[in-house]
Structure formats: C-alpha cells, structure tokens
Amino acid sequence: MLVAAAVVPCPPMIVPELARGAVAELDALRAACDRALAGLAETAPDRLVVLGAGDADATLEAGGTGSFAPYGLDLEVVLGAGAAQPLSPALTVGAWLLGRSPWAAERIAAGTAPSPVTAAVIASDADPARCAARGAELVAGPDRVALVVVGDGSACRTEKAPGYLDARAEPYDRALGAALADADSDALAALEPALAEELWVAGRPALQVLAGAAGPGRRGRLLYAEAPYGVGYFVALWS
C-alpha cells in the first residue's frame, strides 16, 4: 500500500556542477526536493520505489546506474544495489536527488533491508489506463510503499523553452499544480496524452501512475511550482 509520495522534477541543471554560474537559480528547487524526501522519511516505508518515464515499462528490482556524461559531466549515480542496468534520464536525476538525502542514501547503500529501493519505468507513450494499472501494481501487497515520482510539467512556457512558447502551457501547468496541491488523483488520471505531448509534458505518464497508486482520500502539499527555464517544475508531497 502507498503511504506517501514525493513528486520531483528532472532537469539535469539541478546538479550544481552542470549549472555552474547559474547554481543559485535552482537553490529553492533543490531545497524543496530535500523537504519532500524528508517527508517520505517520516513515514518509515518498508520499500522505496523511484518512478520515471522511459522507452518501455520496466522494473529494476536491483536498481541501476545512471550517468550525467551525456550532459558533459563525468558523474555516475547509483540506485538500489548498484546493478549494471542503465537508468533513464529521469531516474538518473531521481537517483542524484536521493543521494542528497541521508535517509535515502542509507537505504541505497544497503540495497536491501531495512528499506529496499526499486527503480520503475513507465513507457513515455503509455495510455492512462496502463498508467493506472501500473500504479496499482507498484503498491500492491502488505508492504508500506513510498513513491518518488520524477517528471516535469510543460516545456513550452517561454520562447526560449525547449518546446518554444505555447499559450496553453501556463494554464495547463497551473491546473497541474492545483492537482498536486490537492492530491487530486482524478485530475491527474484525466490528463490527455495527446495534449501533454503537444505541450512537451514529460511527466504525464509518471503522474498518472501516481494517480493509480494513490487513489482518492490523500492529502497534498505543493512545495514548489516555477518555470525558471521555460519548463514547469513541481515538487509535491502526498500523504
């Protein structure tokens, strides 16, 4: 069963060595991510699942290894027991964020007990029904599961954004932020894949997995909602 979930974004620039002279621009984002992961720690879960979008559905029970080399930084991160399986870009950022958390780092180093860390991937093109089913699968059973959901909002917020400016992007992200603040699983489940694709919403499938895992009756806290590089970044904690 799901006891808590943290939603975090996945910009590679969140790593200070990549941000270089612009490190301070994402200080507030890093701090919000740290608070969200600390909130997971307070629930003392039996199992931690880090979820992000990728090429195809996969469950990496032993975790995996990610690299920031594609972005010009010689830095590897490990999730779980340190298996050789490669992590998707989203999970690589998720692993880096977890490495900042003493609570999570302890469990990543342990690999297994007291709280195993699993990496889960949902296909970027998964439809809402598949996402909902995937969410239910991840939290099935008696274990108290905490989810780290990694994904961004729209990348069409400004003219310099990766997807250029789309007038629909800001209201879309505003509604998405409201859904995260209210722990509104129904609103996340209703996200349209076609519109999300047009607005470059990379986090859509992972957020719909969260909706399937959480169901109704949750409480939400929105800790961060900004678009510093023309991409909607959100940090939220559901309990």
Side-chain angles (χ1 to χ4, degrees), residues 39-67:
L40 293 189
E42 293 175 1
T43 68
D46 299 319
R47 184 160 52 93
L48 181 65
V49 179
V50 186
L51 167 73
D55 294 334
D57 288 5
T59 301
L60 309 181
E61 295 289 354
T65 302
S67 174

Side-chain angles (χ1 to χ4, degrees), residues 18 32 40 43 56 104 109 118 134-135 149 159 167 176 207 216 238:
L18 282 172
L40 293 189
T43 68
T118 298
R134 182 80 164 133
V149 181
E159 291 182 357
L176 184 54
L207 290 170
W238 286 20

Side-chain angles (χ1 to χ4, degrees), residues 100-117:
R100 289 167 53 89
S101 163
W103 164 77
E106 175 186 343
R107 282 145 183 79
I108 290 171
T112 54
S115 183
V117 181

Side-chain angles (χ1 to χ4, degrees), residues 2 182-187 189 210-220 238-239:
L2 182 72
D182 296 337
D184 189 342
S185 293
D186 289 340
L210 169 61
R218 299 284 175 172
R219 292 179 298 172
W238 286 20
S239 58

Side-chain angles (χ1 to χ4, degrees), residues 11-236:
M13 287 281 285
I14 201 169
V15 179
E17 293 90 336
L18 282 172
R20 298 183 182 179
V23 170
E25 293 180 8
L26 295 185
D27 280 350
L29 175 58
R30 295 182 195 95
C33 291
D34 292 343
R35 291 198 301 275
L37 295 177
L40 293 189
E42 293 175 1
T43 68
D46 299 319
R47 184 160 52 93
L48 181 65
V49 179
V50 186
L51 167 73
D55 294 334
D57 288 5
T59 301
L60 309 181
E61 295 289 354
T65 302
S67 174
F68 288 93
Y71 309 105
L73 178 63
D74 185 15
L75 174 66
E76 284 195 344
V77 290
V78 175
L79 192 62
Q85 291 139 303
L87 297 176
S88 69
L91 292 180
T92 296
V93 173
W96 182 86
L97 287 169
L98 284 168
R100 289 167 53 89
S101 163
W103 164 77
E106 175 186 343
R107 282 145 183 79
I108 290 171
T112 54
S115 183
V117 181
T118 298
V121 182
I122 182 71
S124 297
D125 61 354
D127 63 33
R130 175 58 192 142
C131 292
R134 182 80 164 133
E137 291 167 4
L138 289 175
V139 299
D143 285 353
R144 303 174 72 257
V145 178
L147 274 179
V148 180
V149 181
V150 188
D152 299 337
S154 174
C156 297
R157 294 284 296 272
T158 68
E159 291 182 357
K160 294 184 178 180
Y164 196 65
L165 176 64
D166 190 311
R168 300 171 296 174
E170 186 173 352
Y172 184 100
D173 275 355
R174 189 163 54 246
L176 184 54
L180 292 173
D182 296 337
D184 189 342
S185 293
D186 289 340
L188 295 185
L191 295 174
E192 287 287 341
L195 178 59
E197 184 175 2
E198 291 173 10
L199 295 179
W200 292 43
V201 183
R204 190 276 306 172
L207 290 170
Q208 291 192 308
V209 172
L210 169 61
R218 299 284 175 172
R219 292 179 298 172
R221 291 170 55 202
L222 186 62
L223 304 177
Y224 184 95
E226 301 289 344
Y229 301 125
V231 182
Y233 298 148
F234 300 94
V235 181

